[in-house]
Amino acid sequence: MKYFNPEENKIYIGSHDKISSWSDEDDELKTIERVRLLLKNYLELDNVSFLFGSGTSIHLGAVAIRNFPVEVEEYLKEQELVIGKEIYKEFVSTIEKIQSSTLTNVKEWEIQREGEGENFKRIESSGEIATEFERVLNFLIAKDYLLDEDTSTPRTDCIKELIVKIKEGLFLICDVEKRQVPEWLIKLKKESWSDHQIEQGNLLEKESKYIFHEKFLKALLQRPLNLRRANIFTSNYDLAFEYSFDRLGIHYIDGFSGFHKRLFKPETFQYDIFYPGSTTSGKVQRIEKVVRYYKLHGSLSWVNSDKLNSNNLYGIEEMALPLIQKEEKKGEIIIYPTAVKKSYTLDLPYSELFRQFASTINQSQSVLITVGYAFADEHFNDIIFQALSNPSFTLIIVDYVGTDNPHIERIKNLNDSRIIILQGKFFGDFLTFADTLMPDFYNIDSNERIVATLNSYYQKENSKEPVA
């Protein structure tokens, strides 16, 4: 079976590419096993953290939102007709103001699109507006604040409504439960994937759409129980991991407490889950299936809760997505609203989430594995570079584009042997990482073995002929 093309994949340790010396044309599995062993050595450290970016949700139909998504733009056009306010006109005015100050020249990847008030630059390949989504939202929030402060003039604008509708549009495109595997991914599978990648793509169609998140989690939870809980950080708004946790019966500590009403309480990040003592000595045993989970940019399931009290100091509630839709709270979701993120980290919950990220990866003997993260977030990068000042810290980057991204290229050029970069169609792909590269500590999943045994027994019992 063909796994990967050595010319399209890189394995950097420091600034040196190891793929040529590791690759064996006759046995690609040797190279894969070498990478798997490398990862296993780091996953056996006491303090293991992952940072997942948008690249880990694209195969689920999620939309990358670095630039302003076309689907959200179309939603604004539709809603302008529904609510009878010129929100799209306000949106166009905002884009023109932002682009006039930040995009002065038309580059190769941009085109000028004329007509119907859309005289602004777009990405040529996707048609997306060439302006960061979070920058647009930040601009509107800042403008809304200034207009609220100026009480001398009554407001007649529709900025508040525009902000709500942008959040609603984002909610719809990030709800991966209702999204389909994108057409471009299916086309790519047919045209240029290896045999192994085609098999992975088939799994997406035949099995659960979260199968690769589940494979990753199963492998991660095989780490020895004497080690600290693994930490999963993500900048994604979607609930791919939450759905996977539920399907696998994994307990996750995410900063919320409660059952019918889940409220943000950052002190819960310090909690853990144990079996009660079963002996006279009172010893307790840690529950195996537990991870610590941090959504650094907020979530589709987080909404504002105005009823502040002693049990709800932060005014943030976690709700199921169907309930958010039913109660029409899509426009109240709490997401990170700025591209200039440093100015916003003093506000909760982000100050607490970033503090947790910094304190976790700055501990001794730590490894941070980034997957599908493009290093375009200044605040994340500051924290990661600070951790690199710790001699025992290791950074492993798994990214499809890899060093073709100038941010990751600069990191490679540091020529630090504690920095490992896996890139390319095979080694930089989340599906490959979850299905093939994550090490297997026990060689077999014990739960799956039990289920297989029970199913086999059940089939034998049912196949027995009834007694006359």
Side-chain angles (χ1 to χ4, degrees):
M1 176 185 288
K2 184 66 177 176
Y3 285 88
F4 64 89
N5 183 345
E7 296 179 359
E8 297 177 346
N9 292 270
K10 304 289 183 182
I11 303 173
Y12 289 104
I13 297 182
S15 61
H16 303 288
D17 182 15
K18 299 292 186 180
I19 192 76
S20 57
S21 59
W22 285 6
S23 290
D24 186 334
E25 293 184 0
D26 297 325
D27 192 354
E28 295 174 345
L29 288 173
K30 289 182 180 179
T31 302
I32 295 171
E33 189 57 40
R34 198 162 188 167
V35 174
R36 189 184 288 127
L37 181 60
L38 177 73
L39 290 171
K40 182 177 181 180
N41 290 336
Y42 285 109
L43 288 176
E44 288 178 332
L45 292 177
D46 196 37
N47 194 32
V48 171
S49 300
F50 290 84
L51 173 59
F52 289 95
S54 61
T56 60
S57 293
I58 294 299
H59 69 284
L60 301 174
V63 177
I65 60 170
R66 179 156 180 78
N67 296 296
F68 202 93
V70 173
E71 289 175 279
V72 177
E73 183 185 354
E74 293 299 321
Y75 182 77
L76 296 179
K77 292 180 181 178
E78 295 171 4
Q79 290 299 304
E80 183 172 81
L81 298 174
V82 172
I83 67 175
K85 292 191 176 183
E86 295 182 330
I87 57 171
Y88 186 70
K89 183 178 179 180
E90 182 73 49
F91 170 73
V92 169
S93 173
T94 299
I95 297 298
E96 289 175 341
K97 288 176 182 176
I98 293 175
Q99 288 197 342
S100 65
S101 61
T102 60
L103 295 175
T104 56
N105 298 310
V106 178
K107 300 179 182 178
E108 292 180 358
W109 45 268
E110 297 172 0
I111 59 174
Q112 190 76 27
R113 184 167 177 172
E114 307 266 351
E116 297 183 5
E118 296 183 36
N119 187 26
F120 36 75
K121 301 180 181 77
R122 295 178 180 271
I123 307 299
E124 186 172 14
S125 60
S126 65
E128 294 177 338
I129 295 171
T131 301
E132 294 162 318
F133 174 87
E134 290 171 341
R135 184 177 181 84
V136 175
L137 198 53
N138 181 54
F139 181 96
L140 291 169
I141 289 172
K143 187 175 180 180
D144 181 57
Y145 173 79
L146 290 174
L147 291 172
D148 271 348
E149 290 297 300
D150 181 11
T151 57
S152 62
T153 306
R155 292 188 60 173
T156 59
D157 60 87
C158 55
I159 292 176
K160 289 185 185 296
E161 291 86 348
L162 177 56
I163 292 171
V164 167
K165 294 304 176 182
I166 287 175
K167 287 187 175 184
E168 287 182 2
L170 181 72
F171 183 96
L172 296 174
I173 65 171
C174 290
D175 185 0
V176 293
E177 186 74 356
K178 296 182 179 179
R179 304 286 290 183
Q180 301 296 322
V181 176
E183 288 294 328
W184 64 264
L185 189 63
I186 297 173
K187 183 178 179 182
L188 183 65
K189 179 180 73 171
K190 293 177 180 178
E191 293 179 352
S192 62
W193 277 9
S194 68
D195 297 340
H196 178 70
Q197 288 172 308
I198 290 174
E199 283 192 358
Q200 290 178 308
N202 290 337
L203 285 176
L204 283 173
E205 297 173 5
K206 296 178 181 178
E207 306 287 342
S208 159
K209 67 188 304 180
Y210 307 110
I211 186 171
F212 292 99
H213 285 77
E214 294 170 20
K215 283 176 175 286
F216 162 75
L217 291 169
K218 286 180 181 180
L220 180 64
L221 290 173
Q222 290 180 0
R223 295 174 65 239
L225 283 175
N226 62 317
L227 300 176
R228 296 182 189 179
R229 304 291 193 191
N231 306 288
I232 296 178
F233 297 91
T234 181
S235 60
N236 297 341
Y237 301 131
D238 63 65
L239 272 61
F241 270 111
E242 286 91 330
Y243 292 134
S244 302
F245 293 146
D246 289 345
R247 286 176 60 88
L248 296 176
I250 294 173
H251 299 275
Y252 57 100
I253 299 169
D254 66 348
F256 285 79
S257 177
F259 184 74
H260 293 293
K261 196 173 187 67
R262 290 180 55 78
L263 303 173
F264 182 67
K265 296 184 178 181
E267 64 269 21
T268 62
F269 282 124
Q270 310 307 319
Y271 294 176
D272 209 331
I273 305 175
F274 296 85
Y275 289 111
S278 57
T279 65
T280 54
S281 60
K283 291 182 179 179
V284 294
Q285 181 179 355
R286 284 206 314 176
I287 290 179
E288 297 180 18
K289 300 166 75 171
V290 177
V291 297
R292 300 190 183 279
Y293 184 52
Y294 306 81
K295 303 196 78 168
L296 297 172
H297 279 180
S299 176
L300 295 187
S301 61
W302 299 5
V303 295
N304 288 305
S305 175
D306 296 329
K307 297 179 181 178
L308 300 182
N309 53 51
S310 59
N311 194 42
N312 183 22
L313 297 175
Y314 305 100
I316 302 170
E317 183 177 352
E318 186 177 35
M319 300 174 66
L321 299 196
L323 187 58
I324 291 176
Q325 289 183 309
K326 181 179 179 181
E327 297 190 5
E328 298 183 351
K329 288 181 173 289
K330 298 190 297 294
E332 299 178 31
I333 58 174
I334 297 176
I335 59 172
Y336 212 46
T338 174
V340 189
K341 297 184 174 69
K342 294 180 185 178
S343 64
Y344 251 86
T345 53
L346 295 178
D347 296 336
L348 283 164
Y350 309 112
S351 59
E352 179 61 29
L353 293 166
F354 280 111
R355 188 188 71 79
Q356 292 285 344
F357 182 46
S359 64
T360 298
I361 70 172
N362 275 285
Q363 296 174 20
S364 62
Q365 299 296 319
S366 295
V367 59
L368 173 66
I369 302 175
T370 70
V371 186
Y373 169 62
F375 284 82
D377 187 305
E378 288 185 19
H379 201 96
F380 286 5
N381 295 348
D382 286 349
I383 294 172
I384 293 170
F385 292 146
Q386 179 185 4
L388 281 168
S389 65
N390 185 338
S392 64
F393 174 76
T394 300
L395 173 64
I396 300 176
I397 300 170
V398 181
D399 191 82
Y400 193 95
V401 176
T403 53
D404 289 338
N405 175 341
H407 299 296
I408 297 178
E409 172 69 10
R410 283 194 289 270
I411 295 173
K412 185 206 76 174
N413 291 339
L414 294 174
N415 194 21
D416 190 329
S417 60
R418 297 172 302 145
I419 299 173
I420 300 168
I421 302 173
L422 307 179
Q423 74 177 59
K425 288 183 179 180
F426 184 82
F427 288 109
D429 181 42
F430 171 65
L431 308 192
T432 298
F433 179 77
D435 179 62
T436 310
L437 300 183
M438 278 293 288
D440 191 342
F441 288 86
Y442 302 129
N443 296 322
I444 190 167
D445 185 286
S446 58
N447 287 341
E448 288 187 351
R449 186 173 181 176
I450 292 170
V451 170
T453 301
L454 290 174
N455 284 336
S456 175
Y457 175 77
Y458 179 76
Q459 290 170 3
K460 288 180 180 178
E461 286 294 310
N462 285 347
S463 66
K464 293 180 180 178
E465 294 184 3
V467 178

